[in-house]
Amino acid sequence: QEAVIQTCESVISAYGLKALSGSDGSVDVKENVQEICKTFKTGDDFVFTGTFAATLDPEKVNTAAEIIAELEEEVPATEEEEVAAVAEE
């Protein structure tokens, strides 16, 4: 269960979020992970439901925006976008 919670916390952080302090920001896994582990086999999908409360992490919001901007620069423009850009000039 701890591994599932740590994975959720990593995902929360990766999306520029910050868990609320105290128990409000705790990840709550709804399933009984110990029961799931009894029938789990390596290579099987592991599906679970969890809840948490978070807010935007001001330190990571700018970083996320920069990453998105970089990704948008890497994606080639469509022909329609190129025509629209030329028309604006």
Side-chain angles (χ1 to χ4, degrees):
Q1 185 160 345
E2 188 61 30
V4 171
I5 291 171
Q6 288 175 350
T7 300
C8 289
E9 290 171 346
S10 295
V11 170
I12 292 165
S13 176
Y15 280 93
L17 300 174
K18 181 177 181 181
L20 298 179
S21 60
S23 62
D24 289 340
S26 297
V27 174
D28 179 27
V29 178
K30 302 299 182 185
E31 288 78 14
N32 184 334
V33 177
Q34 291 177 343
E35 287 297 317
I36 293 172
C37 288
K38 289 179 183 177
T39 59
F40 178 78
K41 294 182 178 96
T42 302
D44 287 352
D45 289 337
F46 185 84
V47 180
F48 63 92
T49 307
T51 59
F52 66 92
T55 185
L56 290 175
D57 185 344
E59 293 178 13
K60 294 189 178 181
V61 170
N62 290 338
T63 304
E66 291 168 2
I67 291 170
I68 290 169
E70 289 174 13
L71 291 173
E72 287 175 344
E73 288 175 8
E74 293 175 8
V75 175
T78 65
E79 189 175 328
E80 290 175 354
E81 292 171 331
E82 289 176 2
V83 169
V86 170
E88 289 176 5
E89 293 175 359

